[in-house]
Structure formats: C-alpha cells, structure tokens
C-alpha cells in the first residue's frame, strides 16, 4: 500500500565549528528538501536548522566539528544537530533565569523552534548531545508558491 512512498533518505554531514557552518547547513536542508520534492516547509526547516547550528557553534567550545543529520520521511522531516557538549541546551534561556530550565521560552531560538516545529527535544549521545526538531509534511495544495 505504501510502495509509492520513497524510502526515508538521510544525510549526516560534519560542519566546521564556526559561524560558516550556518549558511552551509541552511543550503543543505534546502537542497535536501528540494531534491526530493519533499513537502515539509523548506523556509521553516532552514530557519530552525540555522538556529540549532548557530546555538551549537556559539555555546560549545573547541574545534570538534558539529554534525548535521537530516532525515526525510513521507510524514515529514527531522533535523538533528550533534555537538560535543553533553549539557542540555540551556543556552536557549537567559543565564539569569532560575531555575535553569533548558526548555523555558525565554530563548528566541527555542521559542521559534517550539512555535514552528511539530516536536523538538534533545538527547545525550556518545560524544555530547543532539538537539532536534521535526516538521510535518504539508499537503501540496497548501504550499506557498
């Protein structure tokens, strides 16, 4: 019944630990969605990916590359950014906020991600953490031209 769906496609790309990673990540997500004619909203995916990558670069030290993982599924897409810092993304809140809850809505980046994604979160990895969001596929007739 689902033969007409392409298999999930996924990309995993190491990005430099510098601000240069942000435009690269944006272009990568845009191209991935366009190439597969995926129906998730490319502008939103680009914006949120840029936020995640910028946060990872800004708030983790060292030269370890960060990794961008993009998975495209028939139901939507998931983007993960892996960085070498195991602590949760508390950078998405103001440092003076008590208690330090990483998912408070004070951080603009996180607010955007929470508002625009269908779900988001973070998890520890063997080398640090991954912060991710998902976007749903949008029916073709609702897509902006």
């Amino acid at each position: 019944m689902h033969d007409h769906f392409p298999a999930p496609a996924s990309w995993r790309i190491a990005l430099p630990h510098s601000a240069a990673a942000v435009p690269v990540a944006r272009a990568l997500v845009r191209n991935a969605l366009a190439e597969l004619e995926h129906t998730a909203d490319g502008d939103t995916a680009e914006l949120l990916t840029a936020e995640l990558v910028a946060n990872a670069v800004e708030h983790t030290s060292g030269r370890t590359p960060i990794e961008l993982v993009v998975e495209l599924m028939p139901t939507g897409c998931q983007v993960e950014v892996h960085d070498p810092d195991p602590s949760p993304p508390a950078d998405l809140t103001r440092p003076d906020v008590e208690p330090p809850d990483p998912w408070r809505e004070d951080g603009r980046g996180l607010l955007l991600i929470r508002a625009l994604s269908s779900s988001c979160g973070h998890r520890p990895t063997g080398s640090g953490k991954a912060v991710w969001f998902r976007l749903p596929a949008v029916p073709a007739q609702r897509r902006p031209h």
Side-chain angles (χ1 to χ4, degrees), residues 1-140:
M1 181 164 100
H2 292 295
D3 330 323
H4 59 285
F5 279 137
S10 89
W11 285 261
R12 186 180 186 114
I13 287 94
L15 297 171
H17 199 293
S18 75
V22 176
V24 173
R26 290 183 76 127
L28 193 97
V29 168
R30 174 167 287 285
N31 291 343
L33 290 169
E35 193 178 308
L36 290 184
E37 298 180 0
H38 197 275
T39 54
D41 180 40
D43 293 338
T44 305
E46 253 194 272
L47 178 70
L48 300 189
T49 300
E51 288 288 341
L52 285 189
V53 171
N55 274 317
V57 169
E58 193 180 332
H59 296 282
T60 61
S61 55
R63 301 199 167 275
T64 314
I66 53 179
E67 279 194 309
L68 177 68
V69 179
V70 181
E71 282 189 70
L72 301 183
M73 297 144 311
T75 52
C77 69
Q78 176 166 316
V79 175
E80 282 192 341
V81 174
H82 293 237
D83 69 55
D85 182 355
S87 57
D91 53 85
L92 297 171
T93 63
R94 296 191 195 122
D96 56 357
V97 171
E98 291 298 328
D101 169 8
W103 293 98
R104 283 186 71 102
E105 298 193 316
D106 309 1
R108 181 182 74 94
L110 188 66
L111 191 59
L112 268 176
I113 290 166
R114 287 184 73 162
L116 298 177
S117 65
S118 57
S119 57
C120 57
H122 59 88
R123 61 183 174 79
T125 61
S127 55
K129 71 170 175 299
V131 186
W132 56 271
F133 67 83
R134 284 190 197 116
L135 291 178
V138 179

